[in-house]
Amino acid sequence: MQVKLEVNGKSCEATVEARTTLADCLRHELMLTGTHVGCEHGVCGACTVIVDGAAVRSCLMLAVQAVGHSVVTVEGISLPEGLTDLQASFRRNHALQCGFCTPGMLTTAHALLTHEPDASEERIRDVLSGNLCRCTGYIPIVQAVLEAREAYRPKS
Amino acid sequence: MKRDPIDTSTASRPLAGQAIERIEDLRFLRGEGQYLDDLTLPHMLHAVVVRSSLAHGTLRSIDATAALALPGVHAVITARDIGIPVPRIPMRLDVLDELHAYEQPVIAEHKVRYVGEPIAVVLADSPALAEDGADQLIVDIEPLPVVTTRGGEAPALLFEDTGRNLAVTLRAVRGEVDAIFRAAPYTRREHFSVQRHAAMPMEPRGLLAFWNAEASHLTILGACKVPHANRRVLAGQLGLPEAAIDMQENDVGGGFGARGEFYPEDYLIAFAARHARRPVKWVEDRREHLLATNHARDAECDLEIACTREGHILALRGHAHTDLGAYIRTNGVTPSRNIAQVCCGPYRIEHVQIDVSVHMTNKTPVGTYRGPGRFETDFFRERLLDIVAADLGLDRVAFRRANLVRSTDMPWSLPVVMPWGGGSECDSGDYASTLAHALREFDWDAKRALDGQLIDGRYHGIAIGCYLEGGASGPREGARLRLHDDGRVGVYVGSSSIGQGLETVFTQIACDALDIAPEDIAGIFHGSTRYVNEGFGAYSSRSTVMGGSAVVVVAAPFKEHIRAAAAPLLGCAPDQVSLARAIASGPHGETVSFRQIAEHRAQRAEPVQAEGHFASNRRTYSYGAHATHVAVDPGTGRVEVIDYVAVEDVGRIINPATLHGQALGAIVQGLGGVFLEHLVHDEHGQLLTASFADYLLPGACDFPNIRVFALEEHPSPNNPLGAKGAGEGGIIPVGGVIANAVASALRPLNVGIHELPLSPAKLWASIADVRHESAGTAS
Ligand code: FES
Ligand code: FES
């Protein structure tokens, strides 16, 4: 079937089956391959995208369920060139190695800091605990998100 | 450790030793990485591998009629289509003739031997349709008795021809153990075990193969780790010349030893592409990964030590048993061999004899995972040392220090492992100094007071352990440097990246060797059979040492070629040309840039390039010490790691940030193996932990307190960089150190720790048992 989705601020059309997950639709229909799939059962968080402002596992959501909602992927929180403050903080802190979990970490952190720019270290850890990373040991990721908070605070 | 990242444009020279920001990060952070499943080709088919649902059985028939009737399903491939006997997957490492009988067929022919063994491949227009096809396949397997444990009366033979499930027994030996044990003033024997767990990279495996019928040429995307070796195997199996196959590495979502080995799918997907004459993509799902990709560890050991009552270790002997699962795959018996060879770790033990018996069972085959065999054997040894120290009333630190290999003992030979023979030597180092360093950073003297104390309902314990990390497996690694038409230098290496920052590290090495800037590098081209004639890849902490050294070696002839190419432009002799910052200068100050040289050269046919290799059969040995402070809640069995300090001397640090990251990541993996990760099978050989809901990995909240210190006090004499392997060290001592801290915490309760994992449930049960017993004796 044909569905109309709003992804990264643009309206797009995709042909999906009823069983197609949002992750597969984003990756293979809309060619937004920044969203990764690590488990397809809702545990690893690599597929995290932002739906109406909330971090959501796109492997647990069907593409048809996203109709009428706004979907933002890692591509949507990136600039046309260079790195955002959050991304730069990840780079500075060596918060990624293989990079496979990174898009999910970025979308999760972005959704968190957008709502809670003053999130404590404990809160950040807690929210990131839904995303698995096999390379970094998490410490640099938590540090990167902590340091990125400044960029999300309203400029006085 | 200093690890503030540095922008390359402002970095001073040399680049090696600085925490240069990673080149790879730009694309990864913007969601522009190109992992295997991100690639598509026109007319591509999707493959699903149908796997055995029984652990042991006779394959009677496969009926594909219904599957093939589904629209969108193009083919079903079984052993018959390939031709029986189908190819076997040969051992790449530690080959032994008597083990060939246990090699895995690329697809089941007459028998299945583990849940997850491939029995058919379905090709369809989409992955979902291929799954639908797989569902329609009617597979008839007659069950056979299942072997899930070693020893006792085996219910069945996995390989009837060999007549046994015990594949081989290896022996590491030095000196005269039995005589020493007979005369020893003190001996102690204990039994230890480490559970089956696995590397578990976040990106599952995947392959994309296409066959160009006109050119009789096969291209495989998704290769990694050892593409040259895999090409050799595949070429042999498909009856193609090696030159007819190209293998290409893409961005790789973690390897840790398991990814990139030659698996059944590496044959099946290539065969499917040639069979269907269309590109074929296969991407593993997580359940499949848990069943099909190499498992690891799964070893137990009876270990016995002889020493004086003052704590001088005289001898070590033991018998370990490893469960290798259903087949011996590419890694051969490497983990088992390592258990035997590095059982003494960094300690000076003159008399050693360790037997390791390798058993076949109806489970997923076992391969290498970061620190293969070393993690297990370090747990056995370090745990035994603490038990002995407690028994003899020795100080644990002094006991270790007194028995470490001294720098004056170097080179110190490791025990010889039979049946291969041949030795390996520790190259250099001052093991006592890393121990002292770790004690200092940890603040051992202050924390001692906490050991065994009950504070706010939790028992506190501390521990320290020493280890060796063998790196830089030979025999050699290739590199090619080439001046591209735009004047930048392409660096082509036989090494592979498995997601740990290879491009950045090699940029640093090449820039220093050639005296050019990172902008002058056209790229680090790795992991492809197209780039260099010969490559050995990424295993055993060897990429930086072997591949990096190859770049340094090839830099000299490359610079000669540049000088020769510049000389006519500068009107002087080649030996009068000097090179600096991508500019060639003549004797009177006239200059040409690399770009001008390249432009001039572009008119002639042959490029300016040099290819060569670095060869060494001498391994490097990094070493270090880890210390930890834990608190154990006796009511829940939960352990908190309050502090964890790791000190390692890696000879030479190329990039402190990537090195720090590797150590940290490895430690957390090790902690996962100690507390959480467990592949559990039932008596039917069914995997009970086949999802991330059951197979637990460490998360962001679990281990926040880890401190890593890397040293470069003793460069390796065995390579031009002075580097030693550094990818695995972090994981090796974790089991022993944590188990000792937990045991030390629980000493007041007299709870013995002999097994991993230390999951809350298991630990709680051991504590409850002891309490129950002591309550029993009291009444
Ligand atoms: S792929 Fe969605 S949570 Fe793992
Ligand atoms: S960077 Fe590899 S999984 Fe997180």
Side-chain angles (χ1 to χ4, degrees):
Chain A
M1 71 187 81
Q2 197 79 357
V3 289
K4 250 205 185 115
L5 300 174
E6 191 209 308
V7 180
N8 297 333
K10 286 194 285 259
S11 124
C12 353
E13 288 198 11
T15 315
V16 299
E17 291 180 56
R19 62 179 171 181
T20 307
T21 64
L22 177 57
D24 282 347
C25 172
L26 291 169
R27 291 177 46 74
H28 300 307
E29 295 299 320
L30 303 176
M31 297 305 163
L32 293 168
T33 54
T35 299
H36 294 160
V37 172
C39 72
E40 291 177 283
H41 52 253
V43 182
C44 76
C47 66
T48 306
V49 298
I50 303 169
V51 178
D52 298 337
V56 161
R57 318 223 135 183
S58 62
C59 73
L60 291 186
M61 187 168 176
L62 298 172
V64 292
Q65 290 177 295
V67 174
H69 299 277
S70 134
V71 178
V72 177
T73 67
V74 66
E75 290 90 348
I77 59 166
S78 300
L79 303 168
E81 256 179 70
L83 299 178
T84 65
D85 289 328
L86 177 65
Q87 289 165 336
S89 184
F90 265 64
R91 191 183 196 199
R92 211 169 45 242
N93 284 287
H94 194 45
L96 62 156
Q97 289 183 34
C98 78
F100 196 76
C101 70
T102 310
M105 293 287 178
L106 290 169
T107 45
T108 305
H110 181 79
L112 170 67
L113 295 185
T114 302
H115 299 293
E116 300 174 41
D118 294 314
S120 66
E121 176 174 343
E122 210 189 328
R123 172 79 177 137
I124 291 170
R125 272 193 186 281
D126 207 38
V127 170
L128 290 180
S129 70
N131 292 59
L132 295 176
C133 173
R134 193 54 161 166
C135 301
T136 64
Y138 303 100
I139 292 172
I141 299 180
V142 173
Q143 189 58 32
V145 177
L146 270 171
E147 281 180 26
R149 290 180 303 183
E150 188 53 40
Y152 287 83
R153 292 183 182 132
K155 306 271 174 295
S156 52
Chain B
M1 180 198 301
K2 184 182 168 319
R3 48 183 198 89
D4 285 345
I6 295 158
D7 190 341
T8 49
S9 55
T10 57
S12 60
R13 295 314 167 94
L15 291 180
Q18 302 192 61
I20 301 296
E21 287 198 333
R22 293 204 326 164
I23 292 157
E24 306 72 346
D25 287 358
L26 269 180
R27 62 178 187 274
F28 292 164
L29 286 162
R30 297 168 47 81
E32 291 166 355
Q34 291 263 291
Y35 300 86
L36 190 274
D37 192 31
D38 301 342
L39 310 171
T40 22
L41 289 171
H43 311 298
M44 183 170 82
L45 291 174
H46 297 263
V48 160
V49 178
V50 181
R51 299 176 185 279
S52 174
S53 57
L54 292 181
H56 201 191
T58 308
L59 185 55
R60 290 254 177 262
S61 66
I62 302 169
D63 181 354
T65 323
L68 286 167
L70 285 180
V73 172
H74 288 259
V76 175
I77 298 167
T78 66
R80 277 221 208 131
D81 303 286
I82 293 166
I84 296 176
V86 302
R88 264 55 186 168
I89 299 172
M91 287 171 274
R92 180 171 57 80
L93 299 172
D94 297 328
V95 178
L96 284 178
D97 279 344
E98 61 263 48
L99 300 183
H100 288 305
Y102 303 96
E103 287 172 340
Q104 180 164 10
V106 294
I107 195 162
E109 299 164 323
H110 310 296
K111 247 188 113 165
V112 292
R113 296 187 175 89
Y114 65 96
V115 175
E117 181 163 0
I119 46 185
V121 179
V122 179
L123 301 182
D125 285 329
S126 77
L129 291 170
E131 297 271 2
D132 292 346
D135 281 348
Q136 294 298 319
L137 220 59
I138 301 168
V139 180
D140 181 10
I141 301 174
E142 188 175 308
L144 289 167
V146 177
V147 181
T148 56
T149 52
R150 68 168 184 91
E153 191 66 17
L157 288 171
L158 269 79
F159 300 84
E160 288 74 11
D161 293 350
T162 68
R164 51 199 252 152
N165 292 332
L166 168 62
V168 68
T169 296
L170 315 172
R171 168 169 289 185
V173 55
R174 176 171 57 216
E176 293 295 329
V177 220
D178 290 339
I180 301 288
F181 268 89
R182 274 195 298 274
Y186 173 87
T187 66
R188 177 89 188 223
R189 182 193 185 92
E190 296 288 332
H191 184 83
F192 304 105
S193 67
V194 172
Q195 86 283 12
R196 181 174 276 246
H197 53 289
M200 214 54 66
M202 291 316 298
E203 182 203 14
R205 288 182 300 142
L207 293 162
L208 173 49
F210 56 97
W211 171 249
N212 178 339
E214 231 158 79
S216 287
H217 188 273
L218 184 67
T219 305
I220 313 269
L221 306 178
C224 74
K225 188 173 181 180
V226 287
H228 285 85
N230 288 355
R231 172 169 74 166
R232 205 170 314 131
V233 171
L234 186 62
Q237 292 173 335
L238 291 174
L240 291 170
E242 279 183 46
I245 303 177
D246 276 323
M247 293 206 173
Q248 173 68 52
E249 180 175 69
N250 307 93
D251 285 329
V252 175
F256 316 118
R259 183 200 301 278
E261 290 295 342
F262 198 103
Y263 285 94
E265 297 83 4
D266 289 76
Y267 174 87
L268 295 174
I269 304 307
F271 177 89
R274 190 170 66 168
H275 181 80
R277 311 222 152 205
R278 283 174 63 176
V280 173
K281 176 153 99 174
W282 166 74
V283 176
E284 190 180 55
D285 69 25
R286 185 54 64 179
R287 179 170 179 277
E288 206 177 8
H289 180 90
L290 280 149
L291 291 170
T293 300
N294 286 344
H295 287 181
R297 318 296 193 219
D298 206 349
E300 57 187 304
C301 186
D302 253 323
L303 192 60
E304 189 175 18
I305 191 169
C307 60
T308 65
R309 298 206 153 259
E310 296 70 42
H312 174 61
I313 302 176
L314 302 169
L316 197 63
R317 71 178 170 194
H319 195 158
H321 297 272
T322 55
D323 177 344
L324 222 64
Y327 294 102
I328 293 186
R329 282 184 174 169
T330 49
N331 301 125
V333 292
T334 298
S336 308
R337 196 196 63 116
N338 287 352
I339 286 179
Q341 188 177 34
V342 295
C343 193
C344 300
Y347 302 100
R348 204 170 174 282
I349 305 176
E350 304 270 6
H351 303 274
V352 186
Q353 182 176 308
I354 307 289
D355 290 341
V356 181
S357 295
V358 176
H359 301 265
M360 310 308 294
T361 62
N362 292 119
K363 297 180 204 159
T364 301
V366 159
T368 51
Y369 164 36
R370 213 172 201 171
R374 301 169 188 276
F375 175 89
E376 298 91 305
T377 210
D378 259 57
F379 165 68
F380 305 151
R381 178 194 67 245
E382 291 293 321
R383 189 67 205 101
L384 183 61
L385 291 184
D386 261 24
I387 290 173
V388 169
D391 200 19
L392 291 175
L394 301 168
D395 175 74
R396 289 180 279 169
V397 175
F399 179 37
R400 286 185 168 79
R401 190 188 293 122
N403 286 290
L404 284 172
V405 174
R406 299 160 302 199
S407 37
T408 49
D409 297 327
M410 298 290 176
W412 173 258
S413 340
L414 299 181
V416 172
V417 186
M418 307 308 286
W420 298 278
S424 185
E425 300 178 329
C426 299
D427 47 349
S428 62
D430 182 349
Y431 298 173
S433 100
T434 44
L435 173 60
H437 202 108
L439 291 165
R440 231 178 8 254
E441 294 293 351
F442 182 72
D443 204 358
W444 180 268
D445 289 331
K447 286 182 180 148
R448 275 171 90 143
L450 296 168
D451 203 36
Q453 296 295 311
L454 181 64
I455 304 166
D456 294 335
R458 295 193 304 174
Y459 288 96
H460 287 245
I462 61 169
I464 191 159
C466 305
Y467 70 98
L468 274 185
E469 171 185 9
S473 297
R476 55 190 172 271
E477 193 55 272
R480 178 163 61 94
L481 296 172
R482 175 184 175 146
L483 191 63
H484 286 204
D485 290 350
D486 62 0
R488 294 185 303 160
V489 179
V491 180
Y492 299 81
V493 289
S495 309
S496 307
S497 171
I498 36 181
Q500 269 70 38
L502 177 126
E503 291 170 42
T504 309
V505 166
F506 275 65
T507 297
Q508 292 175 260
I509 293 171
C511 286
D512 288 346
L514 299 170
D515 193 7
I516 58 177
E519 306 80 79
D520 301 323
I521 301 252
I524 306 294
F525 301 95
H526 55 85
S528 169
T529 52
R530 262 184 296 220
Y531 297 149
V532 289
N533 289 328
E534 190 183 49
F536 290 85
Y539 59 94
S540 200
S541 304
R542 68 188 301 284
S543 278
T544 303
V545 180
M546 299 299 287
S549 296
V551 171
V552 172
V553 166
V554 177
F558 180 67
K559 287 196 278 192
E560 286 307 317
H561 290 318
I562 299 248
R563 284 195 193 96
L569 300 177
L570 293 166
C572 64
D575 59 4
Q576 293 176 298
V577 178
S578 56
L579 303 176
R581 300 294 161 110
I583 290 175
S585 322
H588 309 298
E590 55 286 51
T591 61
V592 284
S593 65
F594 277 21
R595 185 186 190 109
Q596 289 166 309
I597 299 172
E599 275 166 5
H600 183 75
R601 229 352 141 83
Q603 294 143 24
R604 317 228 319 251
E606 80 279 22
V608 179
Q609 68 171 347
E611 177 158 3
H613 61 261
F614 171 71
S616 171
N617 273 324
R618 304 167 78 108
R619 305 197 70 184
T620 61
Y621 284 90
S622 305
Y623 55 93
H626 287 195
T628 193
H629 170 198
V630 304
V632 186
D633 182 338
T636 61
R638 213 185 96 74
V639 179
E640 184 192 351
V641 179
I642 293 176
D643 192 14
Y644 197 101
V645 167
V647 175
E648 181 169 38
D649 193 319
V650 297
R652 170 115 182 267
I653 300 168
I654 311 296
N655 187 320
T658 58
L659 180 72
H660 184 266
Q662 285 232 26
L664 202 54
I667 291 167
V668 172
Q669 283 184 333
L671 292 166
V674 170
F675 291 114
L676 303 165
E677 301 178 35
H678 194 175
L679 291 161
V680 184
H681 291 84
D682 70 7
E683 71 274 24
H684 307 296
Q686 295 290 342
L687 182 64
L688 301 179
T689 50
S691 80
F692 277 161
D694 307 295
Y695 186 85
L696 300 181
L697 291 173
C701 294
D702 293 325
F703 308 110
N705 309 312
I706 300 167
R707 301 185 284 143
V708 172
F709 305 87
L711 309 176
E712 40 186 355
E713 287 174 0
H714 288 272
S716 174
N718 294 346
N719 67 72
L721 290 167
K724 300 182 179 184
E728 305 177 274
I731 206 168
I732 292 169
V734 181
V737 173
I738 293 284
N740 279 337
V742 170
S744 207
L746 297 177
R747 178 114 35 92
L749 300 179
N750 215 2
V751 175
I753 303 289
H754 290 85
E755 279 175 28
L756 297 183
L758 299 172
S759 59
K762 280 183 59 182
L763 208 49
W764 179 85
S766 332
I767 295 168
D769 275 355
V770 172
R771 286 185 160 170
H772 191 74
E773 268 170 38
S774 54
T777 23
S779 61

